[in-house]
């Protein structure tokens, strides 16, 4: 095993193993998408609120702060019910949502939102075509490995493209473990998850070969633009 370089994401990571089997199937967020809960339970015992009502609504003022960074074709990884794809299409921009959840795909199609039911780490159309990859609503945590996800995102971009991420302002460093939708007394399956704090984003992006270009804020929501490092 190689020694982590100083300032890399490896210096910041805190991990917490799951209590039980971790799954990576499509049903991870279904309990939230169908309105059963608005919290995630993490393997370190924390309960994290998720903005389910926002997912199902129209793009709000905070979303528009992110959408204003889009100036060309965009792909939204973990799109949920598709509010951001719908808003981008309304602006005349080509956009595609990607989500593994059958419920997410069903909601997208009911809204007329173009969507692909696929694992974000699987084959996706338009590699090298997209000007923007969106990881909103904390979706930089998908798969529990933000570095791998950012590398995957970068592979979808044209050379001058950007990855647009929403990050958690209240968390320090990089946390990796598992989460499940908390719909007590019956909780969902554990799935790999990660949380990237503001202070960890530059190191995580750098390890993935990206740089932190700019940060944006709307009230308590924090966004960032990442692009390829220029040599």
């Amino acid at each position: 095993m190689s020694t982590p370089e100083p300032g890399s994401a490896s210096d910041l990571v805190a991990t917490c193993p799951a209590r039980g089997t971790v799954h990576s199937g499509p049903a991870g967020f279904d309990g939230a998408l169908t309105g059963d809960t608005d919290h995630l339970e993490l393997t370190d015992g924390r309960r994290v609120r998720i903005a389910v009502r926002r997912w199902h609504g129209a793009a709000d003022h905070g979303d528009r702060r992110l959408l204003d960074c889009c100036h060309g074709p965009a792909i939204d990884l973990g799109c949920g019910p598709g509010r951001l794809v719908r808003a981008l299409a309304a602006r005349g921009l080509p956009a595609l949502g990607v989500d593994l959840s059958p419920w997410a795909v069903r909601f997208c199609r009911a809204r007329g939102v173009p969507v692909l039911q696929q694992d974000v780490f699987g084959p996706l159309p338009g590699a090298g075509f997209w000007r923007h990859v969106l990881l909103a609503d904390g979706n930089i945590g998908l798969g529990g490995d933000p570095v791998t996800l950012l590398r995957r995102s970068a592979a979808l971009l044209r050379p001058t493209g950007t990855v647009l991420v929403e990050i958690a302002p209240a968390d320090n460093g990089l946390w990796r473990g598992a989460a499940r939708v908390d719909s007590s007394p019956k909780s969902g399956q554990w799935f790999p998850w990660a949380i990237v704090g503001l202070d960890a984003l530059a190191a995580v992006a750098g390890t993935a070969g990206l740089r932190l270009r700019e940060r944006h804020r709307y009230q308590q929501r924090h966004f960032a633009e990442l692009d390829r490092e220029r040599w």
Side-chain angles (χ1 to χ4, degrees):
M1 181 179 296
S2 60
T3 302
E5 297 180 5
S8 72
S10 299
D11 297 327
L12 300 166
V13 66
T15 59
C16 187
R19 300 186 293 265
T21 303
V22 178
H23 300 265
S24 57
F29 277 97
D30 281 357
L33 288 166
T34 55
D36 291 339
T37 183
D38 60 358
H39 283 84
L40 287 181
E41 179 186 355
L42 306 182
T43 44
D44 63 4
R46 285 181 293 165
R47 294 179 74 244
V48 178
R49 190 175 184 87
I50 47 180
V52 177
R53 184 174 297 180
R54 184 170 72 222
W55 297 354
H56 285 281
D60 62 17
H61 291 290
D63 294 329
R64 287 195 284 273
R65 190 71 184 90
L66 184 69
L67 297 172
D68 287 345
C69 299
C70 294
H71 308 288
I75 185 168
D76 183 5
L77 303 185
C79 66
R83 77 186 190 283
L84 299 181
V85 177
R86 187 181 190 187
L88 287 167
R91 294 180 177 211
L93 296 176
L96 175 67
V98 178
D99 208 295
L100 195 56
S101 165
W103 278 103
V105 171
R106 185 178 303 178
F107 286 127
C108 283
R109 289 175 177 163
R111 286 174 148 181
V113 170
V115 63
L116 180 65
Q117 185 175 353
Q118 179 60 281
D119 186 340
V120 299
F121 295 101
L124 294 175
F129 163 77
W130 303 101
R131 187 166 177 182
H132 308 286
V133 173
L134 275 61
L135 294 170
D137 302 314
N139 280 342
I140 193 172
L142 289 169
D145 187 347
V147 171
T148 297
L149 180 59
L150 289 178
R151 286 174 177 157
R152 173 69 176 119
S153 299
L156 296 171
L157 291 173
R158 60 184 65 175
T160 56
T162 61
V163 182
L164 305 175
V165 302
E166 182 173 358
I167 45 182
D171 293 274
N172 295 319
L174 166 62
W175 179 88
R176 292 178 58 193
R180 63 180 177 181
V181 169
D182 181 6
S183 52
S184 299
K186 183 180 179 181
S187 294
Q189 296 176 335
W190 293 104
F191 53 88
W193 193 247
I195 299 175
V196 179
L198 280 169
D199 59 336
L201 182 60
V204 170
T207 304
L210 299 170
R211 66 170 182 172
L212 175 57
R213 186 168 86 174
E214 194 169 355
R215 291 181 182 176
H216 307 279
R217 179 176 179 177
Y218 180 80
Q219 296 180 351
Q220 298 304 310
R221 296 177 69 188
H222 291 257
F223 309 99
E225 296 182 67
L226 311 176
D227 64 9
R228 288 187 175 91
E229 293 180 322
R230 306 290 195 268
W231 300 103

